[in-house]
Amino acid sequence: MDATALESEAQTAIAAARDAGCLEELRVRYLGRKSPLKLALREVRDRETGMALNAARAAIEDAFSKREAALAASAPEHLEPFDVTLPGERVERGRLHLITQIRREIEDVFLGLGYAVFDGPEVDTVFNNFTALNTPEAHPSRDPQDTFYVDGETVLRPHTSPGQIRTMLAQEPPVYVVSLGRVYRRDTPTPRHTPTFHQVECLAVDKGISLADLRGTVEHFFRALFGQEREIRMRTSYFPFTEPSVEFDVTCFLCGGEGCNVCKRSGWIEMGGAGVVDPAVFEAVGYDPEEWSGFAFGLGIERIAMLRHGFPDLRLLWENDLRFARQF
Ligand code: DAH
């Protein structure tokens, strides 16, 4: 084999290579395992031939690295040619989960009223969830059949009301705060219940707060969420942490109060619980009930989503079926 001829042929080809692809082909041709040079090297029996072939191999390798460096330096020619008129690859855009959308919408309504948003922990004390909220020892909500206990003093919060306690323990009145987030109850999943769900809690503490302030705030809230034509009504109820306590309903946004499937023909939809903060709650957090008064309310966010969009089963929100999630 003529080492010099081979070397100069390779040198010429390498110098003419236009891109990395061509260079790779040439590398296989001149230096690959089955290239004439490699085969010849394997057959070498004398020193002279060996030295000549090795010198040719070194020169060719050197030519490859130089050409490689030159191609890399001469950007953009080293790029693979491509057709700039081809359509691009579509980037999928995500979106917020319906519950997150509504959650943010609610936060915006209250931020607009001058409220602060408080984010409480989902694992919280029995004291914050029950005791400070004036819940009697024998109240059914304390039962481990209803609430998930982490240990004797700690639960997965069954409502967002401990946000009231945490806020009041951390600051002096006046207080205007909403707390939104996940809550947990030992319920079997059904179309209307899931063991994990979301609530929004509202607390206002100031001088001379009354049930009328509660009514006005709830009305503003529901009109912002369901339309300006909504009316609300309050019915007497009982919660350990409010006195008096009420439950509030909103006129059905589907039929406008005439009666339909969504409102079970009553024209009204039950939305949540509320009331004037019980003096015992103020005492538990060190506020003077003679000086301060307040209102609080709480309700479920899934329920708002379900009613507003008319889907029949809460569990859909947890299944992560994109055909469902993409509708909102
Ligand atoms: N925490 C109650 C529940 O989960 C809802 C509630 C009722 C919250 C009355 C309040 C309230 O702030 O005043 O059922």
Side-chain angles (χ1 to χ4, degrees):
M1 130 163 294
D2 182 346
T4 326
L6 182 77
E7 186 194 319
S8 68
E9 181 197 322
Q11 294 275 20
T12 316
I14 291 168
R18 275 184 301 104
D19 55 43
C22 298
L23 213 54
E24 204 40 49
E25 275 172 35
L26 293 176
R27 198 191 301 276
V28 173
R29 182 177 329 152
Y30 290 107
L31 294 177
R33 266 189 310 123
K34 292 183 182 147
S35 60
L37 183 59
K38 284 290 164 80
L39 294 176
L41 269 165
R42 223 174 288 159
E43 303 295 317
V44 168
R45 291 291 173 269
D46 64 292
R47 189 160 177 270
E48 261 90 304
T49 318
M51 280 175 65
L53 290 178
N54 268 321
R57 189 191 55 189
I60 294 171
E61 278 173 356
D62 192 45
F64 271 119
S65 0
K66 288 205 173 111
R67 184 65 189 144
E68 208 165 46
L71 283 176
S74 65
E77 283 150 53
H78 73 287
L79 290 176
E80 292 291 324
F82 70 100
D83 181 352
V84 291
T85 66
L86 285 173
E89 257 179 59
R90 195 197 186 97
V91 178
E92 289 271 344
R93 277 192 86 196
R95 68 182 69 210
L96 296 175
H97 190 272
L98 177 60
I99 294 300
T100 309
Q101 290 179 32
I102 296 181
R103 193 177 160 167
R104 294 199 181 169
E105 207 179 308
I106 295 171
E107 287 174 0
D108 282 349
V109 172
F110 282 100
L111 289 170
L113 289 174
Y115 280 68
V117 175
F118 173 78
D119 220 5
E122 292 170 20
V123 180
D124 206 348
T125 59
V126 168
F127 177 82
N128 287 342
N129 275 282
F130 299 122
T131 315
L133 287 164
N134 195 38
T135 311
E137 282 299 328
H139 195 276
S141 63
R142 286 187 183 250
D143 195 313
Q145 301 251 31
D146 284 326
T147 292
F148 292 104
Y149 279 75
V150 175
D151 60 39
E153 297 304 316
T154 322
V155 295
L156 293 186
R157 65 178 179 192
H159 53 179
T160 41
S161 304
Q164 294 187 31
I165 303 302
R166 284 187 169 264
T167 308
M168 289 192 283
L169 286 174
Q171 70 165 89
E172 291 302 316
V175 174
Y176 290 90
V177 74
V178 278
S179 187
L180 300 87
R182 281 192 179 182
V183 298
Y184 302 84
R185 289 186 195 177
R186 294 193 66 158
D187 282 327
T188 304
T190 66
R192 310 198 123 244
H193 293 96
T194 48
T196 305
F197 59 107
H198 297 76
Q199 286 190 333
V200 47
E201 187 83 17
C202 174
L203 172 69
V205 180
D206 210 328
K207 296 206 159 125
I209 293 267
S210 76
L211 214 53
D213 299 301
L214 167 66
R215 196 181 198 293
T217 307
V218 169
E219 190 174 272
H220 174 82
F221 174 43
F222 280 119
R223 288 183 174 169
L225 222 52
F226 291 121
Q228 290 305 314
E229 319 75 47
R230 302 280 70 79
E231 297 295 336
I232 64 152
R233 76 176 181 192
M234 302 200 289
R235 293 171 283 113
T236 52
S237 184
Y238 171 78
F239 297 99
F241 31 92
T242 44
E243 182 59 37
S245 301
V246 298
E247 281 176 70
F248 48 89
D249 305 333
V250 58
T251 46
C252 180
F253 40 86
L254 195 66
C255 64
E258 276 167 32
C260 68
N261 275 343
V262 168
C263 58
K264 296 188 214 130
R265 318 249 151 246
S266 73
W268 294 91
I269 294 176
E270 284 177 29
M271 287 311 301
V276 171
V277 179
D278 196 296
V281 175
F282 284 150
E283 273 158 20
V285 297
Y287 283 10
D288 180 359
E290 297 298 326
E291 191 180 354
W292 302 100
S293 57
F295 70 73
F297 66 82
L299 69 151
I301 298 180
E302 275 78 359
R303 193 173 163 70
I304 296 174
M306 194 175 183
L307 291 170
R308 204 156 75 164
H309 297 285
F311 55 87
D313 192 324
L314 275 187
R315 292 171 295 185
L316 286 164
L317 290 166
W318 295 94
E319 283 171 2
N320 291 336
D321 184 334
L322 290 179
R323 291 170 301 177
F324 176 75
R326 281 194 178 124
Q327 294 177 60
F328 310 109

